[in-house]
Amino acid sequence: MTLTIDIHTFIAAAPASLRAESAGMSPTEFHDRYCRYAGAVKLGEWTHLRAADFTATLEFAGHLRTVTASGSPVAALTSALYDEGYPVEILRFHQRHTETGTATFVQCEFNGRRGWGAAIADDSAESTVRAMIAGINTFA
């Protein structure tokens, strides 16, 4: 699903440390840096089944992997990323509900490098998965 968002509201929902890091960036620069949906890891199909159950299809270097989980999307995606050679650690997690959806910001560490990923979606689990992928794609 594609959301129309107010990027200023989205940035305002970010944690203070990310707002400080991105001070002086235009909304486009913020989006280009922290919301990388294209890269080594891509999210294909997303299905929120019920309550805390979801299925996500991920693409890694030309092959697909489907992740079905109940509960934490962070745990499920971290495990799938690790299995595919992306041992990512989530250092900070910040999520806030806005008028246009759930905004999620994650600070990831991968191969000794740290960076933020950000996303907004109707569903908090989808927002989490998209933010984690954006974080990974800043390094990969």
Side-chain angles (χ1 to χ4, degrees):
M1 168 174 225
T2 301
L3 293 175
T4 302
I5 63 167
D6 175 354
I7 192 73
H8 297 288
T9 301
F10 180 50
I11 294 169
S17 58
L18 178 55
R19 287 193 315 270
E21 180 180 311
S22 63
M25 286 185 178
S26 72
T28 300
E29 290 168 331
F30 182 92
H31 188 272
D32 290 348
R33 180 158 181 190
Y34 300 110
C35 304
R36 292 185 185 201
Y37 304 118
V41 181
K42 295 177 183 71
L43 177 63
E45 188 173 321
W46 169 265
T47 306
H48 190 139
L49 305 170
R50 64 189 177 294
D53 298 344
F54 67 89
T55 299
T57 301
L58 306 172
E59 182 180 340
F60 297 93
H63 76 277
L64 299 177
R65 177 176 183 151
T66 299
V67 177
T68 301
S70 180
S72 170
V74 173
L77 188 59
T78 300
S79 179
L81 289 167
Y82 181 83
D83 290 347
E84 294 293 334
Y86 296 91
V88 63
E89 183 177 349
I90 304 302
L91 304 174
R92 292 185 186 171
F93 180 90
H94 181 85
Q95 195 167 66
R96 187 176 278 172
H97 298 284
T98 71
E99 291 178 11
T100 55
T102 301
T104 304
F105 306 88
V106 292
Q107 186 182 43
C108 303
E109 184 170 333
F110 175 65
N111 288 336
R113 295 176 60 202
R114 292 182 179 188
W116 286 94
I120 191 165
D122 280 339
D123 175 282
S124 63
E126 180 180 0
S127 178
T128 298
V129 168
R130 289 184 181 280
M132 288 177 66
I133 290 171
I136 281 292
N137 284 335
T138 62
F139 308 118

